[in-house]
Amino acid sequence: MDKTIDFIRDKIGNFEPEIGIILGSGLGDFADEFQGKVIPYSEIPEFEASHVEGHKGQLVFAEVCGKKTVMMQGRYHFYEGYSLATVTYPVKVMKKLGVKILIITNAAGAVTKEYTPGDLMFITDHINFMGTNPLIGRNDDTLGTRFPDMSEVYSKELIEKAENIAKKLNIKYQKGIYVATTGPSYETPAEIRMFSLLGANAVGMSTVPEAIVANYCGLKVLGISCLTNYAAGTTNNPLNHQEVIDTANKVKENFKNLLIELIEKVY
Ligand code: HPA
């Protein structure tokens, strides 16, 4: 960790990010809007190169509406074969760099029939269906406790702020529970029926590991899903990644406007 932090500090000088943003599938372009210092993951000690389509794999340090941010253009996914320690390492790095608030975004399938592709969903809670936990292993007491509370992983205050902004900007949004699977295969219709019975509103392959670690180390978290498709079996159409990227692209403008105002008003 010290090597990582020294390397990054050497690149960014006295820039101290306070807001971290993880940009999900199809949403990475947001960071291109801002002038800043770009560091590819491949150059950072202890980071690994990320390979998923639609993900660039770099940290962008930039000022947005006068707030100092660090944005992840692309994230590590469990399905790529990385351990959850690798997947969540950047969150710990952000914490060490001084980040207080983490905005986590993703593309997700709509489990709830009334939720439609193109809607944004503010995550109120999650179900970890990955079958493992990013905190397994020796605990680093400097970051958090062994058995961290998870009763409010997603900040109610930030959700309320996000809702107010979405209303003002006339952006259609939902609130709901995100269930995380490992992927990379999409779910079966039977699995989606099960998730629906369990109370999940959206399904995806990310976010939960990062949110668990962020909450563990005391970051305030806002999770935003871009609902890109109806989950398997809720329509007759088969799923494909292109549909996910295409819908995310359509939502980009709304997403950008919401995020900018959110950053401006977050504190
Ligand atoms: N399932 C899982 N992950 C996803 C989906 C989905 O339907 N859409 C976007 N990411």
Side-chain angles (χ1 to χ4, degrees):
M1 179 60 81
D2 288 347
K3 254 208 258 173
T4 308
I5 299 297
D6 288 348
F7 176 87
I8 293 173
R9 286 241 167 89
D10 196 50
K11 299 263 178 203
I12 62 174
N14 60 2
F15 186 93
E16 281 192 9
E18 294 197 89
I19 302 171
I21 305 165
I22 301 176
L23 297 165
S25 296
L27 305 170
D29 291 358
F30 178 78
D32 296 335
E33 306 269 329
F34 308 96
Q35 293 286 349
K37 181 88 211 164
V38 175
I39 314 179
Y41 298 160
S42 56
E43 291 179 10
I44 305 174
E46 305 304 320
F47 271 55
E48 297 192 49
S50 175
H51 302 291
V52 175
E53 201 185 323
H55 291 261
K56 279 190 179 148
Q58 56 194 24
L59 289 183
V60 178
F61 292 85
E63 205 157 296
V64 178
C65 300
K67 303 268 165 55
K68 293 189 171 67
T69 70
V70 51
M71 295 177 262
M72 288 183 73
Q73 252 181 335
R75 57 149 61 84
Y76 299 107
H77 295 88
F78 194 46
Y79 62 71
E80 292 173 276
Y82 298 120
S83 69
L84 285 189
T86 298
V87 169
T88 58
Y89 185 68
V91 174
K92 296 176 186 173
V93 169
M94 289 191 219
K95 168 74 182 178
K96 296 268 183 196
L97 289 172
V99 165
K100 307 275 186 299
I101 289 168
L102 182 63
I103 300 172
I104 311 180
T105 70
N106 62 51
V111 172
T112 301
K113 289 200 174 68
E114 292 71 31
Y115 291 11
T116 48
D119 293 353
L120 295 179
M121 187 186 91
F122 302 130
I123 302 175
T124 54
D125 203 351
H126 71 229
I127 297 171
N128 178 9
F129 214 84
M130 286 184 156
T132 181
N133 188 294
L135 300 176
I136 290 174
R138 215 173 68 204
N139 189 53
D140 178 351
D141 295 329
T142 67
L143 280 171
T145 66
R146 173 76 292 189
F147 302 109
D149 172 61
M150 293 282 147
S151 47
E152 192 186 324
V153 176
Y154 305 90
S155 160
K156 290 201 174 95
E157 183 196 330
L158 291 181
I159 292 170
E160 200 184 314
K161 282 202 170 123
E163 280 193 85
N164 288 336
I165 293 165
K167 277 181 202 149
K168 196 187 114 192
L169 297 179
N170 244 321
I171 293 171
K172 191 160 168 244
Y173 73 91
Q174 312 285 354
K175 288 195 285 182
I177 295 169
Y178 174 96
V179 58
T181 68
T182 64
S185 53
Y186 288 114
E187 303 70 36
T188 63
E191 285 163 350
I192 294 302
R193 283 193 296 276
M194 172 185 71
F195 289 146
S196 179
L197 285 169
L198 292 178
N201 303 105
V203 58
M205 306 172 190
S206 69
T207 300
V208 166
E210 294 110 313
I212 289 173
V213 169
N215 184 57
Y216 153 81
C217 63
L219 301 182
K220 259 194 189 173
V221 176
L222 177 69
I224 308 175
S225 289
C226 167
L227 303 181
T228 51
N229 56 280
Y230 291 107
T234 58
T235 69
N236 291 325
N237 304 334
L239 306 189
N240 67 76
H241 186 60
Q242 195 53 47
E243 179 188 5
V244 170
I245 296 299
D246 290 347
T247 314
N249 266 323
K250 284 186 198 139
V251 178
K252 231 166 28 190
E253 197 63 23
N254 274 350
F255 175 78
K256 182 181 103 185
N257 294 336
L258 178 96
L259 213 49
I260 286 179
E261 191 148 342
L262 200 61
I263 292 165
E264 191 182 351
K265 299 202 169 132
V266 78
Y267 57 84

